[in-house]
Amino acid sequence: MGRRGNNDSHWGGSKPFLIRDGQEIYVSNDGSDNAAGSLDDPVRTIERALALAGESPKEVRIYLREGVYNIDNTINISYCADTFAPLYICAYENENAVINGGAELALSDMSAADEEFVDKIIDKPEAGKVLSISLKDAGIEDYGEISRRGHLISEEKEAQAELSLDGKVQKLAGWPNDSYTGLIKPAADSGEYGSRRNPENGCSFAVEYDRPSLWSNQSEVWLAGTLGPNYEFDYYPVSRFDSEQKRVYLREGALENYYTDPYYRFENIAEELDAPGEYYIDRQNGMLYFYPPEDAKPDSVITITMPTENLKIYEGKTPNDLIRMENCCNIVFKNLTIKGGRGSAVTGKYNTNISFINCDINSFGANGIRMDYSTGIEIRGCRIHDVGQDGIQFSNCGDYEKIGANNNIVCNCEIYNFARLERSYKAGINFGYRCVGATAARNHIWNGPHTGMIFYGVNNDIYGNEFDHLVTEFSDMDAVYANNSCFPWERGNKIHGNYFHDIGQSTMNGKHQVNVRAIRSDNNGCGLNIYGNLFVNIGDGGTGSGNNGIGAVMANGTRNKIERNVFVDCNETYMNTMTYEEVETAQDGTLYPDTVVNSSGESVDNTINGAKVSKLKEDMKKYLPVYGNCFPELKSFFYEHPKASKTNEFKDNMVINIKFPLGVLNGEPDLQGFLGSEQLVDGSGNYVSEKDPGFVSYDNGNFELLPGADKPNDSFTSIVMSAFGTIKD
């Protein structure tokens, strides 16, 4: 079973077409591209069907018959259909149609690995558990390149070949299997650190173990983890291991002093293929070795992700994604499986009214769906999982100057196992730079190493979602994260009616993670509206340094409202770390002078989170004519310093701690159940208790309120458990 045949994937047809009666075009692996495209005479390739659609003035439905459609070259689409006659690309009836960028193998075609390989494995698996197959004999010879990855240090190269089993990407063989190891911290003046922003020269560090001495190809090993800030991912190549000095040398990499200790694991090691779900590719000999999971089925399908060649140049680049859309409108993808590429599944820009309905997108090295400068994007009822970066990303979508909504919506989707390769600052859903008026509703976002959702921009609506088992491998990060503090006019973002649970409970190399929240507006962000949410099991009540800074909401800044939420067994509810100070009034009467005097007596530019105050004032004048009408409080923004203004609100919430009490590591909570200065936070009307107020079933996780239950006030509305997450059929 080899690499796929060649397909000509560039097709045109950017002219709009008129609505008349519909036309159906059928695609089948048994068809011919010389055929008419009818049900009885189908074409063979998607590309030919798209070309036929481009010649039609009618509404067109392209039906893919049962089968796997192997794609070598990016499908470039520039097709604009009429609003009332969209182009449909969908599976025929209930048939299973797969658009595949990978090379498929049958698990049943693998056989027990030879003794020579198995003998190298340090912790011997049971006989016959490790399987092998010659990729070279199967026609698969491009294994890609493992490359440096991480926040602000990534080489941004295409992902290497990965192994997916029935849509779930497996793990490169490594050590330790399900935990981390550490290092002996070098002295700060030892000169061993290197520079994380320029890691090419590498570094070294001493350790307390000698496991790497048992690895035969040390120069092929990669370190994956955190060697500096605990919210950033480091993926560096190993050079060698000095067994006498017990010292790891990185060919590229750097250490960085931080208040938490480094933790990491090693991977791409043949000798460590000792656990279910691990694999190793011998690139020199073209062999695949795999230890299948215990629940693998006899008819399971292995997909080796493959590169996709793009025959069309975009701005001097050739993004190697499976489907590329530009200047498209009114296209619907429905009931399709899209899988198996080293780039993204779907990317594009300047698109309008594009829908993805009931699609399964998995096994990609980059993103699931990324749309820039696009409006009316609908992603509904999809499963997006096992991708290397973001599940879904929108960037520069909407009219930022005029606060024109993009009307993009992600609804009723399962999004999980994302950020596998770029493990920090990649999310299940990313409402990126200048995103205006997007909606994330009734999704289930789970099992991510870093944040579950990032958002920037204005008037985004986040409701009815379930967020859980997120931030599993880092500290100083949050399930829903925003850092728009340098853009104080970015407001109107609502987070309401969501269910956050089982967050902030991870341990890395024996130490509990710190500073993890369900929701954070970082660096004194302003204007969040957080209401009607349910927070359960945020933290685990650990003592000492455990659960340091673990809680539901972190929002400093000004004008943040946290109202009518239910907090159950949360280490902290709302925390505002600002301490009240008398702030000097500037010459213009504001609380933010353009310049300040530093410790050396010099006058320097004043900044807000790195942005010059003078520049922010200029920008605010530019945005106020439009933004000031929508957010009148912006007119007084520079008169409301976060350390001097009581504009944050914590009101009418339920705070219930039964399993463990509210944490006191960062101070005693206010009687209203939050941590913060009463001079900066208006806290009132909250119900705080260590007893069950009358939940339907605390033990079974049903936190609706029974009639007669205790609550903040008579108008308090009970949450409804069925209103969270995906809509069940």
Coordinates of all heavy atoms in Angstrom, one line a residue, residues 94 117 363 374 402 602 609 697:
N94 N -25.4 8.5 3.3 CA -24.7 8.1 4.5 C -23.4 7.4 4.3 O -22.9 6.7 5.1 CB -25.6 7.2 5.4 CG -26.9 7.9 5.9 OD1 -26.8 9.0 6.3 ND2 -28.0 7.2 5.8
F117 N 15.8 -5.6 16.8 CA 15.2 -4.3 17.3 C 14.7 -4.4 18.7 O 15.0 -3.6 19.5 CB 14.1 -3.8 16.3 CG 13.5 -2.5 16.8 CD1 14.0 -1.3 16.4 CD2 12.4 -2.5 17.6 CE1 13.5 -0.1 16.8 CE2 11.8 -1.3 18.0 CZ 12.4 -0.1 17.6
S363 N -5.6 14.5 12.4 CA -4.3 14.1 12.0 C -3.6 15.0 11.0 O -3.2 14.7 9.9 CB -4.4 12.7 11.3 OG -5.1 11.8 12.2
S374 N -11.9 37.0 6.9 CA -13.1 36.3 6.4 C -14.3 36.5 7.3 O -14.1 36.7 8.5 CB -12.8 34.8 6.3 OG -11.7 34.6 5.4
K402 N -14.7 49.9 12.4 CA -16.1 50.3 12.6 C -16.9 49.4 13.5 O -18.1 49.5 13.6 CB -16.8 50.4 11.3 CG -16.2 51.5 10.3 CD -16.9 51.5 9.0 CE -16.3 52.6 8.1 NZ -17.0 52.6 6.8
E602 N 15.8 59.7 36.1 CA 15.7 60.1 34.7 C 14.2 60.1 34.3 O 13.4 59.2 34.8 CB 16.4 59.1 33.7 CG 17.9 59.1 34.0 CD 18.6 58.0 33.3 OE1 18.0 56.9 33.2 OE2 19.7 58.2 32.7
N609 N 1.7 47.9 30.3 CA 2.0 46.6 29.8 C 2.8 46.6 28.5 O 2.6 45.9 27.6 CB 0.7 45.8 29.6 CG -0.2 45.8 30.8 OD1 0.3 45.5 31.9 ND2 -1.4 46.2 30.7
S697 N -27.9 16.9 42.7 CA -27.0 15.8 43.2 C -25.5 16.3 43.1 O -24.9 16.2 42.1 CB -27.2 14.6 42.3 OG -26.3 13.5 42.7

